[in-house]
Amino acid sequence: MKKNLLAVLFSALALTVFTSCGNGDEGSKAPTSCKIILYAGEGSMTNGDEGSTKRKTYTVPYETELTIDTASALGLSYDGHYFLGWAKTNGASAADFIDGCTLNVTSNLTVYAVWQAEATETYYISATGNDTTGSGSVSAPYASLSKAVENVTSQYIEYEFVVSGKVLSDTISFADTQSVWVNASKITIRGATDENTDSLVSNGNGAIFDIRTKVPVLIKNLTLSGGTGVTSAFGKEGGALYVSRGSEDSSSVELSSVIFSANSAAYGGGI
């Protein structure tokens, strides 16, 4: 699973607030400058202070605003983890400051990166499953993929859905909007075997998949059949699988050993 510098881990890095900044001339009570220090915690950075892979220091005038460098600009990384932000206490599991935030500097400040370990959740779907009593486990699978994808709730988790047998399906939509993004780091939908004997069959009301998200989606070892497309300004498009087009909202979809059978649409019988 790919490391994402804009995501984070639950191990945390902290922030210590000091009560004063450096003073000016002797006898003056007004501070002239403050230091803001970022620590990578269990991670490292490639663009920190000279000779350091752990620390970045800013010296700024008192009562000014500072926009701290983003994790990407700092070259911040920690294998197998996502970056969540910066915290006020060492070992925190939640961030107090988001990536690339702007601070109103009135005191010295030391912050540590907050990290969250990458994770994978797997859910099982079977023709003999049950959406009411099933939990999505191997022994208690769901009956539908639409029920299983209700578990997609975290941008820091890779979700895997395993389809066994011939499963009827509503249109499964993974779509980003201006206000709501698909909350997953990656989505995989695959057959339980490598022989394409597992299938998703449209219930006749449209495409099997309507994908309009930048979250990577992998579909493999499945047969998709009976899809009739997604309604658009051009008519029915996509057959079994509709994928958004355009440079800004283009989706990342990978197909591996997928069979399209008996699908139809005005544009793109299968895809």
Side-chain angles (χ1 to χ4, degrees):
M1 189 160 48
K2 291 185 177 178
K3 168 180 59 186
N4 186 334
L5 292 181
L6 297 180
V8 281
L9 145 79
F10 273 155
S11 93
L13 309 79
L15 167 160
T16 304
V17 180
F18 296 87
T19 57
S20 64
C21 304
N23 288 336
D25 296 336
E26 186 176 353
S28 171
K29 294 183 179 180
T32 58
S33 64
C34 300
K35 285 190 176 182
I36 308 299
I37 303 174
L38 313 180
Y39 279 104
E42 296 182 41
S44 63
M45 60 179 72
T46 58
N47 296 318
D49 294 343
E50 185 176 354
S52 174
T53 60
K54 288 289 189 178
R55 185 186 68 247
K56 173 69 174 182
T57 304
Y58 305 88
T59 301
V60 296
Y62 176 70
E63 289 191 334
T64 59
E65 288 190 345
L66 168 70
T67 299
I68 63 176
D69 291 321
T70 62
S72 178
L74 290 167
L76 194 63
S77 64
Y78 182 17
D79 284 346
H81 295 79
Y82 295 109
F83 173 66
L84 295 175
W86 308 96
K88 292 181 178 179
T89 55
N90 193 15
S93 59
D96 298 304
F97 302 98
I98 63 173
D99 186 38
C101 67
T102 298
L103 304 174
N104 182 21
V105 179
T106 58
S107 65
N108 295 319
L109 186 65
T110 300
V111 295
Y112 295 77
V114 181
W115 300 97
Q116 177 174 307
E118 294 176 342
T120 300
E121 291 184 6
T122 301
Y123 296 93
Y124 295 84
I125 304 97
S126 171
T128 58
N130 190 302
D131 282 350
T132 302
T133 61
S135 62
S137 64
V138 175
S139 58
Y142 293 124
S144 69
L145 182 56
S146 58
K147 177 64 176 180
V149 299
E150 291 178 3
N151 293 285
V152 177
T153 57
S154 174
Q155 62 181 313
Y156 307 122
I157 295 177
E158 178 178 338
Y159 293 92
E160 180 183 52
F161 301 97
V162 182
V163 177
S164 179
K166 183 179 179 180
V167 175
L168 289 176
S169 183
D170 297 323
T171 298
I172 305 302
S173 177
F174 298 117
D176 297 330
T177 67
Q178 289 185 341
S179 57
V180 179
W181 295 82
V182 174
N183 278 322
S185 63
K186 182 179 179 180
I187 295 170
T188 297
I189 301 138
R190 66 174 179 85
T193 69
D194 296 334
E195 301 172 358
N196 291 97
T197 55
D198 305 300
S199 62
L200 288 171
V201 181
S202 172
N203 60 12
N205 293 324
I208 297 173
F209 292 108
D210 180 357
I211 300 176
R212 312 177 195 221
T213 177
K214 292 182 180 180
V215 173
V217 177
L218 169 63
I219 303 171
K220 67 178 183 177
N221 302 331
L222 274 174
T223 295
L224 305 179
S225 63
T228 57
V230 170
T231 301
S232 74
F234 304 97
K236 285 284 191 176
E237 294 188 86
L241 171 61
Y242 177 84
V243 181
S244 70
R245 57 190 172 188
S247 58
E248 234 175 89
D249 64 347
S250 57
S251 301
S252 173
V253 180
E254 180 182 354
L255 303 178
S256 177
S257 189
V258 176
I259 295 175
F260 292 86
S261 175
N263 301 284
S264 62
Y267 299 93
I271 303 175

